[in-house]
Amino acid sequence: MRLKRSSAAPPLLDPLDSPTPWPFSGGNMDSSIAEPHTNPAVLHAGTDAGAPAPSLPPASARAPDAPPRAPHFVTPQKMHFAEPLPLQNGSSLAGYDLMVETYGTLNAAHSNAVLVCHALNASHHVAGAYESDPADLGWWDNMVGPGKPLDTERFFVIGVNNLGSCFGSTGPMSLDPATGRPYGASFPVITVEDWVNAQARVADAFGIERFAAVMGGSLGGMQAVAWSTMHPERLGHCVVIASTPKLSAQNIAFNEVARSAILSDPDFYGGDYYAHNVIPRRGLRVARMIGHITYLSDDDMATKFGRALQRDSHEAGGDAYQFSFDVEFEVESYLRYQGDKFANYFDANTYLLITRALDYFDPAKAYDGDLTAALASTTAQYLVVSFSTDWRFAPARSRELVKALLDHKRVVTYAEIDAPHGHDAFLLDDPRYHNLVRAYYERIATEIGA
């Protein structure tokens, strides 16, 4: 499905008015679909070639005239796990905590649970707000909640803050029980697979044998893919948004530049800066600035900033260059603001760990680079969504995943959305995107009787 944008705000486009979905029975897929220059319609593949693609709810359900709901308040919980967690690097982590938030009600059959996996700088706080701070909305609050695309009046949604993070789960800032000091640089390198195994223990604690769906965007989408290969019997659907089956060399290079900015900061102290009561703020700022450049498309940056100068052009000399290395352009001011804000709440060691986990994720590595072979164990149905201007995780990477799944005759729904916002599009309010996700979860709800 290719959903196009207009030059104005994204229109409310009903896919029912789009071309008829292309059915595939797996295996014999038109090779053009996997080529970077093509823009496929819906790919709905499976052994039942005539199965319908998900339809959208009526327009009245998608665009109500009622005022928006008040924020729903949530309470995070800390779950402790005493049993050591074996890690991919050969070591293990004993006595660790995971911060968790839940939304909605788990039904009697424990069949309506959905795990939402977070990306680089997000956390367990997926949706809602805290009563003590109603303005602190979850990072995917526009997607998850009562009456939203992932409707918590029908599904029980779990958000888990991954190991190594800095929002309450055990990570480099936590005290190492062996020393009584923060782990710092001694915290083990964590992989996506380690996160998935830790999340599986959270599911066990809730008595959830099988998720209705595992969902994530960006790095969260990698975790969803890993779930489908590592624990195929434990999820019915895998929702992968703006993601990739592995990083390109260019992506790894961006991560390395960001890490180098942190590692070369004099306040980093080899990762043990906590003892010096300092923050490698300069390195974090640059790392975040690099990241933000990759999250936005060229068109989006041109629309937001262009070559506008930061100062008021109506002031005396406001439209003239100052011939200095201070902030001249609005885009410079934006990047510095984002860098400063990030350095105030994120941990540098966590940034190193998570970007390395991104680098290492490659399920095909154990199969001599054969992604089709790596996905042989999968049994879930898939929704894969990409965005046309996302050059960080380009649509071609999603199509690579789709083709490998179709080789196994898996049921796959694929949408490539023509949106101007780059990689960040998966976090934004695009009615076409949200309608698609809503329709997909409507189908899941029907399957499980939610």
Side-chain angles (χ1 to χ4, degrees):
M1 177 189 295
R2 182 167 172 81
L3 303 181
K4 295 186 177 181
R5 69 179 187 270
S6 69
S7 58
L12 182 64
L13 187 151
D14 189 337
L16 295 178
D17 296 330
S18 301
T20 302
W22 301 352
F24 292 95
S25 56
N28 297 325
M29 172 181 149
D30 188 329
S31 61
S32 68
I33 291 170
E35 294 299 320
H37 65 274
T38 61
N39 295 298
V42 169
L43 307 184
H44 189 78
T47 52
D48 179 7
S55 60
L56 289 179
S60 59
R62 288 181 275 120
D65 294 326
R69 300 170 185 254
H72 57 290
F73 294 124
V74 295
T75 303
Q77 56 181 301
K78 181 177 287 188
M79 302 180 70
H80 182 75
F81 297 85
E83 182 182 352
L85 179 72
L87 303 177
Q88 295 291 304
N89 66 11
S91 68
S92 63
L93 190 64
Y96 61 92
D97 297 324
L98 293 174
M99 293 298 298
V100 176
E101 278 185 16
T102 64
Y103 318 88
T105 302
L106 186 62
N107 63 15
H110 290 197
S111 64
N112 69 331
V114 175
L115 175 66
V116 173
C117 305
H118 70 75
L120 192 155
N121 66 310
S123 70
H124 54 285
H125 187 36
V126 177
Y130 301 133
E131 195 163 9
S132 60
D133 187 4
D136 183 16
L137 293 178
W139 58 269
W140 223 353
D141 187 73
N142 61 5
M143 179 67 74
V144 178
K148 294 178 181 178
L150 177 46
D151 189 352
T152 53
E153 292 177 338
R154 307 180 76 174
F155 292 97
F156 178 68
V157 178
I158 301 177
V160 180
N161 184 216
N162 287 327
L163 286 170
S165 187
C166 51
F167 299 111
S169 293
T170 298
M173 297 176 69
S174 306
L175 296 182
D176 181 349
T179 66
R181 297 189 300 271
Y183 280 99
S186 69
F187 194 84
V189 174
I190 299 288
T191 67
V192 168
E193 291 79 8
D194 295 328
W195 289 335
V196 168
N197 286 331
Q199 293 161 1
R201 292 186 175 184
V202 173
D204 293 341
F206 281 102
I208 298 167
E209 296 182 1
R210 176 182 168 92
F211 283 109
V214 176
M215 174 183 186
S218 189
L219 175 56
M222 296 179 182
Q223 294 165 63
V225 171
W227 261 96
S228 73
T229 60
M230 297 170 62
H231 303 287
E233 76 288 351
R234 299 198 67 172
L235 72 162
H237 292 261
C238 182
V239 180
V240 183
I241 302 173
S243 194
T244 177
K246 65 177 182 296
L247 290 195
S248 66
Q250 183 187 55
N251 272 297
I252 294 172
F254 278 122
N255 286 345
E256 172 58 15
V257 174
R259 285 192 296 266
S260 293
I262 292 171
L263 293 168
S264 61
D265 189 318
D267 287 335
F268 184 64
Y269 287 101
D272 293 319
Y273 45 88
Y274 315 110
H276 298 269
N277 198 29
V278 295
I279 296 171
R281 190 177 303 276
R282 285 164 288 188
L284 272 170
R285 288 174 70 239
V286 173
R288 186 58 167 174
M289 290 164 74
I290 293 167
H292 258 281
I293 293 170
T294 70
Y295 302 151
L296 301 175
S297 70
D298 184 47
D299 287 347
D300 201 26
M301 292 186 80
T303 300
K304 288 177 182 292
F305 312 111
R307 290 183 55 84
L309 299 178
Q310 171 62 14
R311 54 195 168 276
D312 190 343
S313 62
H314 298 292
E315 294 177 1
D319 60 350
Y321 296 144
Q322 299 299 305
F323 299 101
S324 75
F325 295 106
D326 200 356
V327 170
E328 287 270 23
F329 297 93
E330 284 188 359
V331 67
E332 294 174 317
S333 177
Y334 169 80
L335 290 174
R336 292 194 188 191
Y337 167 77
Q338 293 293 342
D340 287 337
K341 184 172 71 169
F342 187 70
N344 285 333
Y345 74 84
F346 210 75
D347 179 59
N349 281 319
T350 290
Y351 195 92
L352 300 180
L353 286 170
I354 295 182
T355 56
R356 185 54 95 189
L358 274 161
D359 295 347
Y360 282 161
F361 181 70
D362 181 7
K365 185 177 185 296
Y367 298 87
D368 295 324
D370 187 342
L371 183 60
T372 297
L375 298 176
S377 64
T378 61
T379 59
Q381 299 180 42
Y382 291 77
L383 172 61
V384 181
V385 180
S386 67
F387 297 91
S388 60
T389 57
D390 181 358
W391 59 276
R392 180 89 195 229
F393 295 157
R397 302 286 70 79
S398 290
R399 295 187 208 128
E400 180 184 352
L401 174 63
V402 169
K403 184 183 182 305
L405 291 166
L406 291 176
D407 288 343
H408 293 295
K409 299 185 180 181
R410 300 295 179 256
V411 179
V412 180
T413 302
Y414 173 58
E416 181 179 319
I417 299 176
D418 188 5
H421 308 296
H423 187 60
D424 269 355
F426 85 94
L427 295 170
L428 303 180
D429 291 311
D430 186 317
R432 303 156 302 166
Y433 160 46
H434 280 198
N435 291 344
L436 174 70
V437 175
R438 182 189 301 276
Y440 196 83
Y441 276 106
E442 286 282 345
R443 193 181 85 188
I444 296 175
T446 299
E447 287 179 2
I448 65 175

